[in-house]
């Protein structure tokens, strides 16, 4: 009976998983562009081009799986109905070995010739050939792409632009051939010259602001690294530099301005810079989130991934773009997932920078995955998916600056803490007493200082050993931390001596706090170490003391008076006549 029930449950679960798998497959299939047979794509009347227009509904496409067909062969195949339309789908084919031919028909019913420009908005295409009718009833061919020197482009622009003039009362077809080793995205638009000029100016202004932010971030982190010598800033500088250059390749700016005559570098630099940015980002993640301490197992996985990234970096100049691009796309997804998981885990385990990190890289990873889905043809090619990287990284830059600020505060806090007792150290005390003293003088408020010493601590160390003595120091520091309320703060001044700064506290309240501390230490250690302390206090009110050192000397002299009067007591410094108030055992 039990077996039958178990089998039924197993069958039910299996059927549900099969149904889910079928649904996922159907979703993926529907996301991939499907060419729909149509007799002819509609022609576009140039009268409707007032600014810019998406040419997707007017395109007819033909696939050349071998990539060997010439223009005349394609024209012959056209007469046999080889061209097909996509309908409303996006012509995004992901990684494909095929060459794709595009036909666009334009008509001009006006009385004058019309000029416009056809724009391909995805700049990472190896080869694009454009055919337009010529005046001698022939065809003029323009060959460009990022495998062709930049100077051969018809117009000086990071994208591919093809100027067209259509005579009055005429109709003409134009042909384009796309072939690339990377992701093949066909994004064609038609613009009037004035519209394209304005659009180009706006685009380059936006890109200038975008890369200006990268430069500011790069310089800032470089200065912080040189000042603090913190490795996190070095890794982030590497990440920002390589990612910024990667985006400039992705946008076509590097080919336009940095290496216009080096088509090999225009392709291979994308892989090299991607590997560098992945390495820098992963190292920065491990460093800023302290993953080795907070999640050591996953940190080891990230460490192994780093070696995989370095291997791909070494192979990038040797192997072709065609071989490297798909493994690098997969590796990018793995690294992004690892960084997200590391951020979430360290967030739940108490890392302060992880809050900003998760928000920053969540925005970036959202853009990365959107772009990767577009690259593999699972999302349409449009302005949002094409620029998802940039949108995500722009948000990331703002949020990671907050994460770096949190890291700075964490570093400062670590530098200000005593390694043994985890209360503030003497360096922090010197900084704070100066600041609090100046604030007291400006605001005419009271400021009290307690200085306490563990009684007979040297004898205790000699009797029980330094390990037991260190434990006593920790216990005393914990009791002090529990006994002092903010804005008061506890400091280990040195050895067995502690100090407590009490802003806004008069002499009566300071004496009460000191006595409460003395009693707590004595009572809470009565069954173990039997520790007592001597405490001296001094209060700055008005112009009692001329500087912070005088205030400390007064509290310290009160401490020595407490020791002389038998220890385990509190003594308050009186400016006029040094008066002791003793709470003895």
């Amino acid at each position: 009976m039990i077996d039958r029930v178990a089998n039924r449950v197993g069958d039910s679960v299996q059927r549900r998983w099969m149904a889910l798998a079928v649904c996922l497959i159907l979703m993926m299939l529907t996301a991939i562009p499907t060419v729909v047979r149509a007799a002819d794509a509609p022609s576009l009347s140039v009268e409707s081009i007032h600014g810019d227009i998406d040419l997707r509904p007017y395109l007819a496409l033909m696939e050349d799986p071998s990539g060997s067909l010439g223009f005349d062969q394609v024209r012959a195949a056209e007469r046999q109905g080889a061209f097909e339309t996509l309908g409303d789908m996006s012509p995004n084919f992901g990684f494909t070995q095929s060459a794709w031919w595009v036909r666009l028909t334009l008509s001009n019913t006006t009385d004058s010739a019309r000029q416009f420009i056809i724009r391909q908005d995805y700049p990472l295409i190896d080869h694009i050939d454009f055919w337009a009718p010529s005046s001698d009833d022939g065809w003029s061919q323009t060959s460009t792409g990022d495998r062709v020197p930049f100077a051969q482009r018809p117009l000086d622009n990071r994208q591919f632009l093809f100027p067209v003039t259509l005579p009055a009362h005429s109709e003409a077809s134009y042909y384009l051939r796309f072939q690339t080793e990377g992701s093949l995205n066909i994004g064609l638009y038609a613009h009037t010259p004035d519209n394209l000029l304005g659009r180009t100016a706006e685009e380059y202004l936006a890109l200038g602001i975008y890369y200006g932010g990268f430069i500011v971030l790069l310089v800032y982190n470089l200065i912080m690294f040189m000042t603090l010598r913190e490795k996190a800033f070095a890794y982030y500088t590497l990440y920002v530099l390589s990612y910024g250059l990667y985006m400039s390749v992705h946008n076509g700016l590097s080919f336009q301005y940095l290496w216009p005559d080096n088509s090999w570098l225009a392709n291979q630099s994308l892989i090299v810079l991607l590997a560098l940015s992945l390495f820098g980002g992963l190292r920065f993640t491990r460093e800023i989130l302290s993953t080795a301490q907070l999640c050591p197992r996953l940190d080891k996985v990230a460490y192994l991934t780093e070696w995989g990234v370095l291997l791909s970096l070494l192979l990038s100049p040797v192997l072709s773009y065609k071989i490297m691009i798909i493994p690098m796309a997969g590796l990018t997804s793995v690294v992004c997932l690892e960084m997200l998981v590391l951020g979430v885990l360290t967030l739940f385990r108490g890392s302060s920078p992880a809050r900003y990190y998760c928000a920053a890289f969540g925005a970036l990873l959202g853009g990365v995955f959107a772009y990767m889905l577009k690259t593999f043809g699972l999302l349409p090619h449009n302005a949002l998916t094409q620029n998802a990287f940039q949108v995500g990284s722009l948000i990331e830059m703002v949020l990671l600056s907050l994460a770096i600020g949190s890291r700075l505060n964490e570093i400062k806090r670590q530098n200000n803490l005593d390694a043994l007792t985890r209360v503030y150290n003497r360096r922090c005390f010197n900084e704070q007493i100066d600041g609090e003293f100046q604030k007291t003088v400006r605001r005419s408020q009271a400021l009290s200082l307690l200085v306490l010493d563990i009684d007979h601590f040297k004898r205790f160390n000699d009797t029980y050993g330094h390990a037991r003595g260190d434990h006593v120091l920790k216990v005393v520091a914990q009791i002090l931390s529990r006994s002092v309320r903010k804005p008061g703060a506890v400091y280990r001044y040195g050895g067995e001596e502690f100090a407590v700064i009490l802003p806004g506290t008069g002499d009566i309240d300071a004496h009460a706090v000191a006595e409460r501390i003395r009693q707590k230490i004595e009572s809470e250690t009565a069954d173990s170490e039997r520790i007592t302390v001597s405490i001296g206090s001094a209060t700055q009110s008005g112009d009692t003391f001329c500087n912070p050192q005088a205030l400390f000397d007064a509290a310290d002299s009160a401490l020595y008076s407490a020791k002389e009067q038998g220890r385990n007591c509190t003594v308050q410094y009186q400016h006029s006549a040094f008066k002791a108030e003793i709470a003895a055992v």
Side-chain angles (χ1 to χ4, degrees):
M1 179 67 177
I2 295 176
D3 292 339
R4 287 198 300 270
V5 173
N7 289 335
R8 289 180 181 178
V9 172
D11 292 342
S12 176
V13 172
Q14 185 177 6
R15 285 195 298 271
R16 291 180 182 179
W17 278 109
M18 289 179 64
L20 179 60
V22 170
C23 290
L24 290 174
I25 292 172
L26 289 176
M27 290 172 62
M28 294 177 65
L29 289 176
T30 55
I32 298 174
T34 303
V35 178
V36 179
R37 175 77 62 177
D40 281 305
S43 63
L44 172 63
S45 175
V46 296
E47 297 177 20
S48 61
I49 307 176
H50 300 292
D52 63 88
I53 188 169
D54 187 353
L55 296 178
R56 181 177 55 190
Y58 307 97
L59 301 180
L61 292 90
M62 188 190 83
E63 182 179 8
D64 176 12
S66 64
S68 60
L69 295 180
F71 180 66
D72 292 336
Q73 293 173 300
V74 170
R75 291 275 290 164
E78 178 187 11
R79 289 190 287 270
Q80 299 176 5
F83 277 83
E84 304 165 341
T85 61
L86 279 170
D88 293 329
M89 299 301 295
S90 175
N92 172 23
F93 302 100
F95 296 100
T96 176
Q97 302 292 329
S98 302
W100 282 86
W101 291 79
V102 176
R103 185 192 65 204
L104 170 67
T105 302
L106 302 175
S107 62
N108 181 10
T109 58
T110 65
D111 296 329
S112 59
R114 295 290 300 270
Q115 293 181 340
F116 52 93
I117 298 168
I118 296 175
R119 175 176 66 94
Q120 160 65 19
D121 71 340
Y122 183 62
L124 301 181
I125 302 294
D126 290 346
H127 299 280
I128 298 182
D129 295 284
F130 178 77
W131 284 268
S134 60
S135 57
D136 58 356
D137 294 331
W139 294 90
S140 63
Q141 178 184 355
T142 302
S143 296
T144 183
D146 63 7
R147 289 283 188 181
V148 179
F150 191 87
Q152 291 188 209
R153 299 193 179 188
L155 296 175
D156 186 7
N157 192 278
R158 65 187 184 90
Q159 297 177 340
F160 302 109
L161 305 179
F162 304 99
V164 170
T165 300
L166 187 62
H169 301 289
S170 66
E171 182 176 273
S173 292
Y174 301 86
Y175 298 86
L176 296 99
R177 181 184 182 274
F178 293 80
Q179 189 170 26
T180 185
E181 292 182 350
S183 179
L184 200 155
N185 302 309
I186 300 175
L188 293 171
Y189 297 83
H191 298 263
T192 62
D194 292 340
N195 172 265
L196 183 64
L197 182 63
R199 181 188 181 92
T200 301
E202 292 175 358
E203 283 183 351
Y204 277 84
L205 175 62
L207 289 170
I209 296 173
Y210 178 78
Y211 289 106
F214 263 106
I215 294 173
V216 170
L217 196 60
L218 178 66
V219 173
Y220 169 77
N221 281 277
L222 186 59
I223 293 174
M224 295 306 297
F225 170 69
M226 296 174 65
T227 304
L228 300 176
R229 299 296 178 180
E230 179 69 18
K231 289 187 291 185
F233 295 103
Y235 296 136
Y236 194 65
T237 300
L238 173 63
Y239 169 69
V240 171
L241 177 62
S242 55
Y243 188 77
L245 287 173
Y246 169 81
M247 288 306 303
S248 70
V249 176
H250 185 265
N251 290 325
L253 292 175
S254 293
F255 193 32
Q256 183 177 7
Y257 294 111
L258 299 182
W259 40 75
D261 298 323
N262 195 329
S263 58
W264 179 87
L265 193 57
N267 280 263
Q268 295 302 118
S269 61
L270 194 73
I271 302 296
V272 174
L273 292 170
L274 178 58
L276 277 175
S277 63
L278 291 178
F279 177 77
L282 198 52
R283 287 295 300 169
F284 169 74
T285 298
R286 294 177 60 208
E287 188 69 28
I288 197 173
L289 299 180
S290 302
T291 56
Q293 291 77 34
L294 295 178
C295 43
R297 291 184 179 178
L298 190 56
D299 180 75
K300 292 180 181 178
V301 176
Y303 174 76
L304 295 176
T305 306
E306 283 181 6
W307 280 103
V309 174
L310 287 176
L311 178 62
S312 66
L313 177 62
L314 295 174
L315 294 176
S316 296
V318 179
L319 300 180
S320 68
Y321 182 91
K322 179 180 179 180
I323 295 175
M324 291 295 299
I325 184 59
I326 295 181
M328 282 302 301
L331 187 58
T332 301
S333 301
V334 171
V335 171
C336 291
L337 183 60
E338 282 185 358
M339 291 194 295
L340 183 60
V341 173
L342 286 170
V344 173
L345 284 179
T346 53
L347 175 64
F348 285 109
R349 295 178 183 180
S351 172
S352 298
R355 294 174 295 172
Y356 305 107
Y357 178 91
C358 287
F361 272 90
L364 177 64
L365 296 181
V368 169
F369 280 117
Y371 181 79
M372 295 305 298
L373 290 176
K374 183 219 60 150
T375 300
F376 284 102
L378 299 177
L379 283 180
H381 172 78
N382 52 42
L384 180 61
T385 56
Q386 170 64 14
N387 298 303
F389 256 148
Q390 288 179 266
V391 175
S393 62
L394 189 61
I395 299 172
E396 178 216 24
M397 281 196 301
V398 176
L399 295 177
L400 274 186
S401 63
L402 300 178
I404 293 173
S406 178
R407 175 66 175 177
L408 284 175
N409 292 333
E410 207 171 62
I411 293 171
K412 184 178 180 180
R413 176 177 172 81
Q414 292 297 326
N415 291 336
N416 287 337
L417 289 181
D418 177 65
L420 177 64
T421 60
R422 307 308 294 171
V423 297
Y424 293 116
N425 56 25
R426 182 170 179 173
R427 177 173 56 187
C428 183
F429 171 81
N430 293 334
E431 294 175 356
Q432 288 299 114
I433 193 65
D434 288 345
E436 293 295 341
F437 190 90
Q438 298 301 325
K439 189 187 301 181
T440 297
V441 172
R442 289 196 308 269
R443 300 179 180 179
S444 300
Q445 296 177 342
L447 171 67
S448 292
L449 175 65
L450 309 182
V451 179
L452 63 93
D453 191 275
I454 301 175
D455 295 332
H456 305 296
F457 185 73
K458 185 178 184 302
R459 186 170 63 191
F460 185 93
N461 256 348
D462 293 339
T463 304
Y464 298 103
H466 288 286
R468 188 82 175 271
D470 289 346
H471 175 70
V472 167
L473 290 173
K474 292 179 183 178
V475 170
V476 171
Q478 291 171 1
I479 296 174
L480 284 171
S481 298
R482 295 198 306 267
S483 303
V484 177
R485 299 173 183 174
K486 291 182 178 181
V490 179
Y491 305 83
R492 185 185 179 190
Y493 191 78
E496 69 273 21
E497 197 170 16
F498 293 84
V500 179
I501 298 177
L502 299 171
T505 304
D507 53 357
I508 297 176
D509 291 335
H511 179 73
V513 171
E515 183 58 22
R516 184 171 68 247
I517 289 172
R518 185 195 66 79
Q519 292 175 359
K520 278 190 175 183
I521 292 175
E522 182 181 17
S523 62
E524 292 186 18
T525 63
D527 297 332
S528 53
E529 290 84 3
R530 298 181 181 179
I531 299 300
T532 61
V533 295
S534 301
I535 305 176
S537 68
T539 300
Q540 163 72 0
S541 181
D543 57 351
T544 307
F545 302 103
C546 59
N547 55 55
Q549 186 61 46
L551 174 63
F552 178 82
D553 290 342
D556 198 45
S557 64
L559 168 63
Y560 277 96
S561 178
K563 290 182 177 182
E564 291 173 355
Q565 297 179 34
R567 290 184 170 83
N568 192 23
C569 63
T570 62
V571 173
Q572 187 173 15
Y573 179 85
Q574 297 293 334
H575 189 62
S576 56
F578 190 27
K579 177 183 176 182
E581 295 183 4
I582 303 175
V585 178

